[in-house]
Amino acid sequence: MKELKKRLKRKKWPVWSLGLVAAIFLISAAVGAASVYLIVSSGKTERVAEAWSPVISADEPGVDATPRERTLHSLSRWNGEVEVVLHRVYLCGEETRMLGRHATSEARDLLISHLDWDAKFDRTGTVVMEEKIDDLSPACRSTSYIGLDEDGNLSLFDGPPRKDNVVRTFFQLDVGLLESSLSKERLHELANGIKVSDKDEYNSVLSTFSDYALERSESVLQPRT
């Protein structure tokens, strides 16, 4: 600072300019991100321009942060536009809806307004918001069957049961117990697939055949893929 004052005195700058430069210097040092430019002509300061990056006060998300929390944090720090996609995951079936380009602030507000949605950035930088819906998708309502796959698992099929159209596997059944407990008609129905057209039918079939599951636990009704 002493050396700077000496140089300024040699150039015979006005006293008020010394105070201005000193103040700018101190502010720049405190902020740590400032770049100060002085334009001097004929011994007079004509213009002082300052430019620095904004200080981000938000804390970085921790290691345990969810993808949703990380996405919200990124959107809050980035001022621009982003492509947004809504991915709906049903009990049976999925849907993807393109929501178009939005300002990052709008995308953040949309996510905040839906507390039950998850979100993440894909490889292209698109924000993929995911909504889980406790129902069958419109497509599944007309094509879904629950039946027995080749390995004896109770499974969800897209159409009548075949090995190439399994959508989801629920749990393995005790086939011996089934054969000794159910009528031939009921076994035939299970082999051909039981049509389910809504959530109630879906849950009813799962509940009925959970009594014949090999793994008896509280999670037996939880579908696994």
Side-chain angles (χ1 to χ4, degrees):
M1 180 63 73
K2 291 181 179 179
E3 183 62 26
L4 178 59
K5 289 181 178 180
K6 289 180 180 179
R7 293 181 181 180
L8 292 175
K9 287 181 180 179
R10 285 199 295 268
K11 291 182 178 292
K12 297 182 179 180
W13 283 24
V15 175
W16 66 267
S17 65
L18 295 178
L20 176 61
V21 172
I24 293 173
F25 181 84
L26 292 174
I27 293 173
S28 301
V31 173
S35 299
V36 181
Y37 304 92
L38 301 179
I39 299 178
V40 181
S41 175
S42 303
K44 295 182 180 180
T45 304
E46 293 185 344
R47 181 165 65 90
V48 178
E50 301 174 20
W52 58 72
S53 301
V55 178
I56 302 300
S57 59
D59 294 332
E60 290 291 336
V63 294
D64 296 329
T66 64
R68 172 191 168 89
E69 291 170 340
R70 293 184 181 277
T71 301
L72 280 171
H73 180 78
S74 297
L75 291 173
S76 68
R77 296 186 61 178
W78 174 24
N79 183 21
E81 289 189 344
V82 66
E83 193 77 28
V84 180
V85 170
L86 177 59
H87 182 60
R88 289 192 172 105
V89 180
Y90 295 82
L91 291 173
C92 166
E94 300 181 8
E95 289 181 343
T96 299
R97 179 184 173 191
M98 307 300 293
L99 300 183
R101 294 193 67 80
H102 293 270
T104 49
S105 59
E106 293 176 343
R108 180 176 179 273
D109 290 344
L110 176 62
L111 187 54
I112 289 175
S113 66
H114 294 83
L115 299 178
D116 58 333
W117 287 10
D118 291 325
K120 63 181 180 180
F121 283 93
D122 68 9
R123 293 181 179 179
T124 67
T126 298
V127 177
V128 180
M129 300 185 183
E130 183 176 283
E131 178 185 11
K132 294 183 179 180
I133 300 177
D134 188 29
D135 202 350
L136 307 183
S137 72
C140 276
R141 289 176 181 273
S142 60
T143 62
S144 294
Y145 288 77
I146 293 179
L148 206 61
D149 68 13
E150 293 183 336
D151 298 320
N153 297 309
L154 189 71
S155 299
L156 179 69
F157 297 84
D158 183 15
R162 299 192 312 271
K163 67 178 182 180
D164 61 346
N165 68 343
V166 176
V167 174
R168 178 172 295 182
T169 297
F170 300 113
F171 44 80
Q172 189 170 18
L173 292 171
D174 186 333
V175 177
L177 181 60
L178 280 174
E179 292 177 341
S180 63
S181 303
L182 299 181
S183 64
K184 291 184 178 181
E185 291 76 12
R186 188 60 169 168
L187 289 173
H188 182 72
E189 182 182 13
L190 181 61
N192 290 332
I194 301 171
K195 183 74 173 65
V196 289
S197 58
D198 57 38
K199 175 185 171 182
D200 290 339
E201 290 180 346
Y202 175 94
N203 287 332
S204 176
V205 174
L206 289 184
S207 178
T208 297
F209 287 99
S210 67
D211 294 336
Y212 305 96
L214 282 178
E215 299 177 3
R216 295 182 180 276
S217 68
E218 293 181 357
S219 61
V220 75
L221 288 178
Q222 297 297 321
R224 62 177 186 270
T225 56

